[in-house]
Amino acid sequence: MKPVNLAASLVFAAAVGAGGYAIASNHGHMNHGDHGGHGDHADHSSDRSDLPASTRAYMDANDAMHADMMIEFTGDADADFILGMIPHHEGAVVMAEIVLEHGTDPEVANLAREIIAAQNEEIDWMRAWLAERGQ
């Protein structure tokens, strides 16, 4: 069994919690075509010029991740999980890269590097898993 990486586990736990909150807060409020309440993200891109560069980068990364997570579901719970998690992990890598570019705290930078390594390893595993199943 693969040892658990604390940094990756914390990111996953935070993501699951945030995802659960997002689902709960959007329950019953989805309009067709708005990607589960995320359809207005692109509308705010022109309003971002007065924000710090890191904030704009995080917002863009978040928008891209959510768009990429809007997968075509297969009906296979395992495959659908993997297909959705790949862009989720890719989003975590991008966010970690943003903090490495804009952040100042060495401990956060170390965590970001651990996250990049762990998430990339898991992305490789998930892609191999999908390939083995012809996906």
Side-chain angles (χ1 to χ4, degrees):
M1 178 177 265
K2 189 172 154 183
V4 176
N5 179 300
L6 179 59
S9 297
L10 291 173
V11 168
F12 182 75
V16 169
Y21 173 77
I23 290 168
S25 65
N26 279 323
H27 183 70
H29 298 287
M30 289 177 60
N31 294 321
H32 294 290
D34 78 351
H35 299 292
H38 299 293
D40 67 340
H41 285 291
D43 297 339
H44 298 293
S45 61
S46 62
D47 299 332
R48 296 178 179 177
S49 61
D50 61 334
L51 298 174
S54 61
T55 302
R56 289 191 313 268
Y58 285 131
M59 292 172 79
D60 291 345
N62 191 38
D63 290 348
M65 179 185 69
H66 283 152
D68 291 345
M69 288 176 64
M70 296 304 300
I71 63 167
E72 185 172 328
F73 292 98
T74 68
D76 177 330
D78 297 319
D80 290 345
F81 173 75
I82 297 296
L83 290 167
M85 287 306 291
I86 289 172
H88 187 267
H89 278 39
E90 290 170 338
V93 169
V94 171
M95 290 175 65
E97 291 169 344
I98 293 166
V99 79
L100 288 175
E101 180 179 347
H102 297 281
T104 59
D105 189 303
E107 290 181 282
V108 174
N110 286 335
L111 176 63
R113 284 188 281 278
E114 289 178 21
I115 288 169
I116 290 168
Q119 299 292 289
N120 280 328
E121 181 180 331
E122 291 176 8
I123 290 167
D124 291 344
W125 183 92
M126 290 184 280
R127 287 187 176 142
W129 186 92
L130 288 169
E132 289 171 7
R133 287 152 184 81
Q135 300 250 357

